[in-house]
């Protein structure tokens, strides 16, 4: 692993004081040693000068044949050579003049090296003094070897006489002074000083370095903290960016990113290759309610994976639009599966069981597809609306299937758009009217009451509630619509009961969407009061799937209404996977068995068994049992046998206009009377 740079710097801070102290001490040592050597050299030269002039003075004094006594002549030398002088710095200086006095040229210097130097001086191979600094036998020696030259005639005479040969002239080399200074002690002392300086500067530099290291460490810590902070910040930003464009549960792109991609794809040619797919799970609510939210979440993740395994185009994108709604966009290419194949593959991929915590789930989905080519407009919104319309068609065609947007769906979409546009005005203008279908008491064959059902004549065409109610729910007009029907229902019940002097019970339907808005119970009671209807004669029908989806809010509203005397009916029982514990807790006054259980009951034992079970269950919950969709007497007999109290269906009457319903009531009362 590579060391971070700041660690290296800190290491450097440890090495620097040692090296710098060493350099400083060494420099001090070299400088002082050099200085000492120079001083000593100068002193030796002075000494030689002094001795020389001393000798010369005495030899001149002895001119005229008098031999200068050797002891006298050499006083200057002997003065030093006998007792080496030690100066204040501990330097010992000695002066020697090798050989027999007066016979220097035949010197008997014991050091062969020095002897050779002297001989070379005598032979005039060397001129001037020789200065050297050497380590000898563990001592540091400074030495000057200087030729001693006879400079006066008396001097030369004397030498010639002593040598018994008259061969020398003035200027001939006669011998050499050797002046040695032993600087060992002073060098050691300097070394000691240098050591001291080394220690002092090491401590000083160490302290400085320590301070510097602390400062550096602080800077490094600060930088590290800043880097860490930046990292955390950029991670948080990345996370935030991810969440802005992705669904946190499945990790798929979200609606925003999907729209962006679709916009981009539609700007690239060829536009006709762009395919949009919307996928909606069938019965996802039921999974959530019966198996729990963690199972629901796991299922959504599984669905995401299955979609990704189908849309493998590099440029394709699978997104979660929200809830159980997914979407994909991809480009058609000759070597890739076409929209038809993809639709089929998605539906097939969802058929496999999904097992989670012992729950076995059959996902199942409906798929709507729109190809830019098939679609008149090419904006992302139009294309998505096309895919949505295809999805809607797939759902109404029995789910677990796919549809590709085409002319027929386009017409349907156009119609839905028109209905959505005209419905609010229809509600506001009282164009929505109520029809009344009798609910018959099976035991007596007399009307038990009526169910009010909404009707709309758009221009010259009747639009059925199965078509406009879902649109009203989607566009938010449903609340006004339901309350308008309720008002007519209340007015009908009040009018007929006044006319015939008998209580007329009335039922009205409430859509799921109403429970999402506040003040529903208050609005209902205001209508009931205004119409003068006894609340005991009103029953509100809520479809089972509605009750299951928003159980808490539905229960709270219905309980409030119950306190005022209004009854509640569970509509379409058997289709919504109600939890029995909910139903037991609330105890609906009425349970309406869905029409699908009575249809085809004659020729199928299994359906008959199912009908019997569901009726028994409704009775077991203590409610009045209503069976819807009775069309034949055979069906009526079965219903009677099973103990259901109320029947509703074409056998007794189709939904009737106000006057027809009034007439129906009149004839019934007339029959009794
Ligand atoms: P629903 O509440 O289950 O109403 C019963 C539906 O079954 C009615 O259809 C009725 O005409 C039909 N029906 C009754 N007896 C028979 C029979 O013997 N055979 C057959 N084939 N059908 C029978 P409709 O009026 O078309 O209403 C359909 C659905 O629209 C209703 O089902 C209800 O869910 C909804 N709806 C109708 N009016 C309103 C309303 O004012 N508000 C709300 N929220 N929903 C409404
Ligand atoms: Ca109903
Ligand atoms: Ca029903």
């Amino acid at each position: 692993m590579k060391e971070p740079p700041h660690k290296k710097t800190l290491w450097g801070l440890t090495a620097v004081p040692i090296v710098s102290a060493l350099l400083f001490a060494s420099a001090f040592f070299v400088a002082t040693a050099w200085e000492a050597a120079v001083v000593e050299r100068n002193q030796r030269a002075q000494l030689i000068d002094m001795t020389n002039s001393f000798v010369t003075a005495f030899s001149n004094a002895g001119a005229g044949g008098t031999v200068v006594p050797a002891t006298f002549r050499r006083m200057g030398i002997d003065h030093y050579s006998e007792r080496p002088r030690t100066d204040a710095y501990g330097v010992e200086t000695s002066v020697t003049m090798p050989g027999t006095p007066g016979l220097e040229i035949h010197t008997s210097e014991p050091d062969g090296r020095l002897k050779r130097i002297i001989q070379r001086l005598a032979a005039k191979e060397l001129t001037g003094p020789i200065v050297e600094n050497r380590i000898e036998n563990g001592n540091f020696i400074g030495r000057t070897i200087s030729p001693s030259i006879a400079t006066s005639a008396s001097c030369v005479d004397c030498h010639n006489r002593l040598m018994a040969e008259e061969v020398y002239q003035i200027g001939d080399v006669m011998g050499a002074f050797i002046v040695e200074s032993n600087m060992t002690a002073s060098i050691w002392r300097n070394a000691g000083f240098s050591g001291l300086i080394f220690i002092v500067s090491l401590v000083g530099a160490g302290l400085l370095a320590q301070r510097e290291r602390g400062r550096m460490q602080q800077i490094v810590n600060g930088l590290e903290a800043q880097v860490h902070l930046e990292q955390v910040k950029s991670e948080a930003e990345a996370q935030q960016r991810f969440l802005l464009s992705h669904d946190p549960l499945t990790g798929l792109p979200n609606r925003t990113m999907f729209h962006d991609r679709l916009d981009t794809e539609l700007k690239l040619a060829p536009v006709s290759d762009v395919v949009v797919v919307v996928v909606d799970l069938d019965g996802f609510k039921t999974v959530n309610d019966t198996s729990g939210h963690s199972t629901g979440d796991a299922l959504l993740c599984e669905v995401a994976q299955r979609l990704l395994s189908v849309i493998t185009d590099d440029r394709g994108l699978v997104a979660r639009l929200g809830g159980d709604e997914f979407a994909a966009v991809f480009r058609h290419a000759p070597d890739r599966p076409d929209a038809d194949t993809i639709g089929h593959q998605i539906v097939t991929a969802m058929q496999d069981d999904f097992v989670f915590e012992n729950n076995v789930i059959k996902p199942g989905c409906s798929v709507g597809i729109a190809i830019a080519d098939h679609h008149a407009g090419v904006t992302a919104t139009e294309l998505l609306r096309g895919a949505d319309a295809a999805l809607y068609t797939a759902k109404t065609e029995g789910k677990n299937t796919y549809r590709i947007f085409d002319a027929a769906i386009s017409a349907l979409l156009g119609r839905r758009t028109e209905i959505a546009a005209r419905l609010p005005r229809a509600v506001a203008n009282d164009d929505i009217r109520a029809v009344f279908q009798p609910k018959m008491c099976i035991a007596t064959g007399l009307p038990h009451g009526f169910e009010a059902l909404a009707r709309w004549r758009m221009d010259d065409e009747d639009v059925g509630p199965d078509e406009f109610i879902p649109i009203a729910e989607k566009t938010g007009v449903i609340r006004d619509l339901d309350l308008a029907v309720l008002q007519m229902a209340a007015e009908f019940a009040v009018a007929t009961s006044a006319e015939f002097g008998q209580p007329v019970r009335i039922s009205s339907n409430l859509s799921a969407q109403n429970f999402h808005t506040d003040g529903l119970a208050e609005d209902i009671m205001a209508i009931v009061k205004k119409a003068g209807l006894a609340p005991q004669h009103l029953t509100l029908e809520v479809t089972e799937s509605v009750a299951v989806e928003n159980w808490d809010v539905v229960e709270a509203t219905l309980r409030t209404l119950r306190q005022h005397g209004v009854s509640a009916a569970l509509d379409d029982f058997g289709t919504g996977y109600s939890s029995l514990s909910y139903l037991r807790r609330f105890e609906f006054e009425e349970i309406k068995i869905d029409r699908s259980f009575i249809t085809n009951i004659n020729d199928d034992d299994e359906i008959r068994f199912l009908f019997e079970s569901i009726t028994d269950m409704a009775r077991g919950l203590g409610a009045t049992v209503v069976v819807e969709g009775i069309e034949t007497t055979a069906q009526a007999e079965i219903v009677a046998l099973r103990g259901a109290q109320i029947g509703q269906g074409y056998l007794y009457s189709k939904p009737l206009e106000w006057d027809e319903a009034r007439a129906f009531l009149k004839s019934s009362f007339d029959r009794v009377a």
Side-chain angles (χ1 to χ4, degrees):
M1 208 173 74
K2 242 180 108 178
E3 235 182 342
H6 68 268
K7 287 264 160 67
K8 277 191 185 159
T9 313
L10 290 180
W11 266 114
L13 281 179
T14 310
V16 160
I18 299 175
V19 173
S20 55
L22 210 58
L23 281 174
F24 192 53
S26 306
F28 176 80
F29 180 77
V30 169
T32 49
W34 174 257
E35 167 78 4
V38 169
V39 167
E40 285 309 315
R41 191 190 62 199
N42 293 342
Q43 280 185 355
R44 287 197 304 270
Q46 261 178 13
L47 202 57
I48 289 166
D49 275 353
M50 272 163 55
T51 315
N52 235 350
S53 45
F54 189 74
V55 169
T56 308
F58 275 90
S59 107
N60 285 342
T66 319
V67 174
V68 178
T71 37
F72 184 68
R73 181 173 56 86
R74 298 186 54 144
M75 247 177 76
I77 301 162
D78 295 345
H79 175 72
Y80 293 106
S81 51
E82 272 172 16
R83 189 163 43 88
R85 189 186 65 151
T86 306
D87 68 12
Y89 300 101
V91 178
E92 276 180 5
T93 309
S94 63
V95 185
T96 51
M97 206 167 187
T100 314
L103 294 170
E104 288 88 352
I105 211 74
H106 304 292
T107 176
S108 59
E109 166 64 45
D111 186 327
R113 196 182 66 86
L114 292 180
K115 193 173 172 180
R116 275 193 298 283
I117 292 174
I118 295 163
Q119 278 169 347
R120 288 177 68 198
L121 281 167
K124 297 192 180 163
E125 284 171 23
L126 299 172
T127 54
I130 308 293
V131 178
E132 57 180 26
N133 288 300
R134 293 163 54 84
I135 292 171
E136 287 174 1
N137 303 323
N139 288 317
F140 188 81
I141 305 295
R143 180 180 291 127
T144 305
I145 306 166
S146 180
S148 170
I149 305 162
T151 52
S152 66
S154 64
C155 219
V156 174
D157 283 352
C158 186
H159 273 269
N160 282 340
R161 239 178 293 132
L162 278 171
M163 301 292 289
E165 270 178 277
E166 300 205 2
V167 291
Y168 298 111
Q169 305 288 315
I170 289 175
D172 286 347
V173 174
M174 291 300 161
F177 293 110
I178 300 175
V179 186
E180 289 181 357
S181 32
N182 185 347
M183 295 182 284
T184 314
S186 104
I187 291 285
W188 273 118
R189 207 178 44 248
N190 286 345
F193 280 139
S194 302
L196 206 65
I197 280 174
F198 172 71
I199 290 167
V200 170
S201 48
L202 186 65
V203 169
L207 286 174
L208 271 177
Q210 174 96 18
R211 215 185 63 178
E212 195 58 15
R213 200 171 25 234
R215 207 173 61 85
M216 285 282 284
Q217 189 65 56
Q218 246 176 352
I219 293 172
V220 166
N221 288 350
L223 279 175
E224 274 179 350
Q226 209 176 338
V227 166
H228 181 70
L229 198 76
E230 286 298 323
Q231 249 169 7
V232 168
K233 226 167 82 179
S234 71
E235 275 167 20
E237 277 167 6
Q239 173 77 1
Q240 209 174 15
R241 271 200 307 279
F242 181 83
L243 287 180
L244 281 178
S245 59
H246 287 77
D247 161 44
L249 175 66
T250 60
L252 289 182
N254 63 12
R255 185 182 286 272
T256 314
M257 192 169 169
F258 180 78
H259 274 267
D260 287 350
R261 171 61 75 86
L262 187 53
D263 280 336
T264 312
E265 288 299 335
L266 287 174
K267 281 182 194 131
L268 300 172
V271 168
S272 60
D273 282 349
V274 179
V275 181
V276 166
V277 181
V278 289
V279 179
D280 194 278
L281 294 187
D282 297 332
F284 177 69
K285 281 279 174 204
T286 312
V287 173
N288 249 352
D289 292 339
T290 54
S291 307
H293 282 264
S294 56
T295 308
D297 285 354
L299 175 62
L300 291 173
C301 292
E302 172 72 13
V303 167
Q305 290 310 312
R306 291 188 189 183
L307 287 175
L308 287 170
S309 74
V310 174
I311 312 284
T312 53
D313 177 5
D314 320 331
R315 286 174 63 183
L317 181 95
V318 176
R320 182 180 170 209
L321 301 186
D324 57 346
E325 212 184 324
F326 293 84
V329 55
F330 66 95
R331 268 184 179 274
H332 178 64
D335 58 334
R336 292 200 167 267
D338 60 6
D340 237 308
T341 314
I342 291 285
H344 182 72
Q345 282 176 348
I346 293 175
V347 172
T348 311
M350 298 303 160
Q351 304 280 288
D352 291 342
D353 284 353
F354 170 59
V355 183
F356 182 77
E357 288 177 351
N358 298 329
N359 294 309
V360 181
I361 297 152
K362 277 199 182 302
C365 70
S366 303
V367 180
I369 300 174
I371 307 167
D373 202 15
H374 289 208
H375 202 267
V378 285
T379 67
T381 316
E382 280 170 332
L383 203 53
L384 258 173
R385 200 185 299 146
D388 272 338
L391 171 71
Y392 180 82
T393 314
K395 283 244 181 231
T396 53
E397 279 177 0
K399 305 184 174 176
N400 243 322
T401 182
Y402 72 95
R403 278 297 302 263
I404 297 176
F405 184 86
D406 55 15
I409 298 174
S410 174
L412 201 81
L413 181 63
R415 181 172 167 83
R416 282 178 62 206
T417 312
E418 194 190 356
I419 290 174
R422 295 182 58 171
L423 201 51
R425 228 178 320 129
V427 175
N429 294 350
D430 294 335
D431 285 347
I432 305 288
R433 67 181 199 283
V435 291
F436 308 91
Q437 184 174 37
K439 293 165 93 169
M440 305 301 288
C441 176
I442 289 175
T444 62
L446 289 172
H448 173 263
F450 290 86
E451 177 182 3
L453 294 159
R455 291 292 180 268
W456 181 27
R457 194 163 177 84
M458 186 173 81
D459 299 335
D460 287 332
E461 179 200 5
D462 283 323
V463 184
D466 282 334
E467 195 174 5
F468 68 77
I469 293 288
I471 297 171
E473 285 175 341
K474 250 199 156 124
T475 56
V477 75
I478 189 70
R479 183 171 172 139
D480 289 345
L481 191 153
D482 275 352
L483 293 179
V485 173
L486 172 68
Q487 189 179 327
M488 287 181 265
E491 285 164 0
F492 175 79
V494 170
T496 46
S497 62
E499 183 181 351
F500 301 114
Q502 298 263 10
V504 176
R505 287 184 195 81
I506 192 78
S507 299
S508 201
N509 294 284
L510 274 186
S511 159
Q513 243 52 40
N514 294 316
F515 292 92
H516 295 306
T517 51
D518 292 335
L520 180 64
E522 289 77 2
D523 285 358
I524 290 171
M525 288 319 296
I527 289 168
V528 169
K529 219 168 160 187
K530 190 172 169 222
L533 176 67
Q536 290 72 17
H537 296 155
L538 175 65
T539 301
L540 293 169
E541 298 191 2
V542 181
T543 58
E544 189 185 12
S545 52
V546 175
V548 171
E549 276 168 32
N550 328 274
W551 179 249
D552 287 339
V553 53
V554 169
E555 188 188 9
T557 310
L558 293 182
R559 275 196 196 284
T560 308
L561 290 164
R562 176 180 282 172
Q563 282 167 2
H564 290 99
V566 177
S567 299
L570 185 66
D571 208 350
D572 302 346
F573 183 60
T575 59
Y577 307 93
S578 306
S579 155
L580 282 181
S581 64
Y582 286 168
L583 301 184
R584 228 178 239 121
R585 200 172 71 189
F586 181 71
E587 293 181 358
F588 279 91
E589 280 82 1
E590 196 175 284
I591 290 180
K592 298 183 79 175
I593 311 279
D594 190 69
R595 199 172 44 172
S596 57
F597 290 94
I598 198 77
T599 316
N600 305 325
I601 199 164
N602 307 320
D603 32 70
D604 196 322
D605 282 350
E606 206 177 322
I607 291 178
R608 188 182 178 127
F609 174 74
L610 218 60
F611 170 76
E612 289 173 358
S613 314
I614 204 96
T615 315
D616 290 349
M617 204 190 292
R619 278 212 346 258
L621 287 166
T624 300
V625 178
V626 182
V627 177
E628 300 184 293
I630 301 171
E631 293 184 351
T632 64
T633 40
Q635 289 169 343
E637 275 163 21
I638 294 167
V639 170
L641 270 176
R642 215 60 224 167
Q645 294 97 325
I646 295 166
Q648 188 180 352
Y650 294 170
L651 173 68
Y652 310 106
S653 168
K654 291 202 168 192
L656 302 168
E657 298 293 337
W658 181 298
D659 287 340
E660 294 170 340
R662 190 195 141 271
F664 185 88
L665 257 184
K666 187 175 185 316
S667 72
S668 299
F669 288 137
D670 286 351
R671 251 190 297 137
V672 177

